[in-house]
Amino acid sequence: MATPNSSADPASMAAARSSSKTAPPTPLRDGFHLVPSHPINYDLNLTNTFQDITYHISTSDHCARIAFNRPHVLHAFRPTTINEIRHALDQAQDDTRVSVILLTSNIVPERTPAFCAGGDQTVRSSDGGYDDGSEAVPRLRVLDLQIQMRRCPKPIVAVVRGYAIGGGHILHMCADLTLAGEDAVFGQVGPRMGSVDAGYGSVHLARMVGQKKAREIWFLCRYYSAQEALQMGLINAVFKNDELEGEVGRWVRRMCMLSPTALAVAKAAINADQDGSAGISLMGGHITRLFYMSDEAKEGREAYLEGRAPEFRKIPQSKL
Ligand SMILES: CC(C)(COP(=O)(O)OP(=O)(O)OC[C@H]1O[C@@H](n2cnc3c(N)ncnc32)[C@H](O)[C@@H]1OP(=O)(O)O)[C@@H](O)C(=O)NCCC(=O)NCCSC(=O)c1cc(O)c2ccccc2c1O
């Protein structure tokens, strides 16, 4: 049985190496059910100067938690919110203690649960963006965040309670995985209030749920339950609200047991299909990063620094 303290979880990985030669095939051999499912303990609070978000790290579970913290507006975002998330995401990406990043919201009992109700309409400017006074020019910074999330080499998991609406809905879509509480509600509202996301909010949605369903979501601006979202492939799993945090722990711990490079390359490959040259560039970056570690690449650098011709053919690993 899994123990609450075993974040390394050798039992679940060992389940894939049973010594039996005659056991019937079963999906349980993936060992996932053995991964501990207790909530993650965040021992570092790095919220620092952030106003609109909180930022925590679990050093035992190698996980960062970035959370919307504007419950009075159902976590609607303003430029400050987006810039803070981008800053925290940068930190998490470069923090070697972090393998998985959660994007979520702080649920408070006195407010309706929400992941994010999209752009804060009180600071929506008539000058082409959102303007809370924190930037010189009104912009749609959330579009930069979407791209940053897709380029981040670490898995990003959206953990959704309550409303994920408009730009908030698109952020969960840009996360690699979405785990939802049973009270989660998903939808686009732009056409109801004079807005549209013609980027990932439309094309990524169509890739996920299909052409007809994506059009329905935008053309009718209906809301969908967590179960409906699961059925249409918009999210990965739904859990009872009080079990969500434990299951998030299980999913995070499982990813932390796996090869980070393999996960980064899988993410880049899945995204490259949709991201054109920018996606291929990211895939290429992974190749170059690994290539730099090889004797062949080091020979090129050393030869240049020593002022001699490189002798690539003498490197035994270069079998091309
Ligand atoms: C989500 C709701 C359906 C929930 O309804 P409910 O009745 O439960 O709650 P209230 O409506 O009373 O909300 C409580 C409280 O929160 C305030 N609030 C909620 N959402 C926002 C918001 N988006 N902006 C500002 N404030 C908000 C609400 O006013 C209440 O305040 P009180 O002071 O009265 O307590 C419902 O809340 C709802 O429909 N909300 C609006 C959803 C919405 O319109 N979102 C914006 C969509 S557009 C968008 O997000 C967007 C952003 C971008 O950056 C883009 C960039 C590029 C292209 C497109 C973009 C884009 O479309």
Side-chain angles (χ1 to χ4, degrees):
M1 277 300 284
T3 59
N5 293 324
S6 59
S7 66
D9 185 35
S12 70
M13 296 303 269
R17 298 193 304 271
S18 159
S19 58
S20 167
K21 302 297 176 205
T22 55
T26 164
L28 292 176
R29 280 286 294 283
D30 70 4
F32 186 61
H33 62 294
L34 298 174
V35 180
S37 62
H38 55 91
I40 293 168
N41 173 40
Y42 298 96
D43 49 329
L44 291 183
N45 183 348
L46 303 177
T47 301
N48 295 327
T49 54
F50 294 140
Q51 299 174 55
D52 288 7
I53 66 165
T54 58
Y55 178 46
H56 292 82
I57 285 180
S58 167
T59 54
S60 52
D61 280 317
H62 313 290
C63 170
R65 180 182 186 274
I66 302 171
F68 292 101
N69 198 31
R70 306 189 77 216
H72 58 292
V73 286
L74 306 187
H75 305 290
F77 56 77
R78 54 181 182 166
T80 300
T81 325
I82 296 300
N83 286 328
E84 288 182 357
I85 296 175
R86 293 185 67 202
H87 190 62
L89 191 52
D90 257 341
Q91 285 183 37
Q93 179 168 329
D94 288 343
D95 193 328
T96 52
R97 295 169 297 188
V98 172
S99 296
V100 177
I101 300 165
L102 305 181
L103 181 63
T104 188
S105 60
N106 292 326
I107 304 299
V108 296
E110 61 276 21
R111 293 286 178 174
T112 302
F115 170 72
C116 172
D120 185 331
Q121 297 308 294
T122 65
V123 296
R124 184 170 137 187
S125 155
S126 301
D127 292 334
Y130 286 76
D131 184 5
D132 64 359
S134 65
E135 297 180 314
V137 182
R139 300 279 188 217
L140 297 168
R141 294 280 178 213
V142 73
L143 302 180
D144 299 323
L145 173 59
Q146 295 169 7
I147 290 169
Q148 187 181 346
M149 290 170 71
R150 287 178 72 83
R151 293 187 71 83
C152 175
K154 297 177 181 176
I156 300 178
V157 183
V159 180
V160 177
R161 289 279 318 273
Y163 291 107
I165 299 292
H169 183 249
I170 297 164
L171 287 178
H172 104 76
M173 286 199 289
C174 286
D176 298 298
L177 301 170
T178 299
L179 304 180
E182 58 193 349
D183 63 354
V185 172
F186 300 87
Q188 294 301 150
V189 290
R192 236 171 47 194
M193 28 108 47
S195 180
V196 63
D197 184 327
Y200 288 116
S202 301
V203 295
H204 191 38
L205 180 66
R207 294 269 179 130
M208 277 197 287
V209 302
Q211 290 286 330
K212 297 283 185 189
K213 201 72 190 178
R215 283 162 219 257
E216 173 191 312
I217 290 170
W218 276 103
F219 292 4
L220 301 186
C221 291
R222 291 182 57 200
Y223 293 164
Y224 302 87
S225 69
Q227 283 300 339
E228 288 171 315
L230 183 63
Q231 275 162 18
M232 67 173 100
L234 196 54
I235 64 175
N236 295 90
V238 182
F239 300 106
K240 291 188 174 136
N241 294 334
D242 59 0
E243 292 173 6
L244 179 61
E245 290 303 321
E247 292 297 337
V248 168
R250 189 201 300 273
W251 286 55
V252 165
R253 288 179 193 107
R254 176 60 163 214
M255 283 185 275
C256 288
M257 289 169 213
L258 305 176
S259 155
T261 302
L263 299 193
V265 170
K267 172 171 178 171
I270 293 165
N271 288 347
D273 183 43
Q274 207 177 322
D275 288 350
S277 298
I280 293 169
S281 157
L282 197 60
M283 279 292 289
H286 286 305
I287 293 169
T288 305
R289 189 176 79 82
L290 295 171
F291 178 46
Y292 271 18
M293 298 175 195
S294 73
D295 288 342
E296 181 180 331
K298 286 180 199 161
E299 167 62 8
R301 180 192 62 198
E302 296 308 313
Y304 171 77
L305 293 176
E306 292 165 15
R308 60 176 173 81
E311 297 183 285
F312 292 123
R313 294 288 151 196
K314 288 195 174 168
I315 308 293
Q317 292 148 321
S318 300
K319 294 201 171 113
L320 292 175

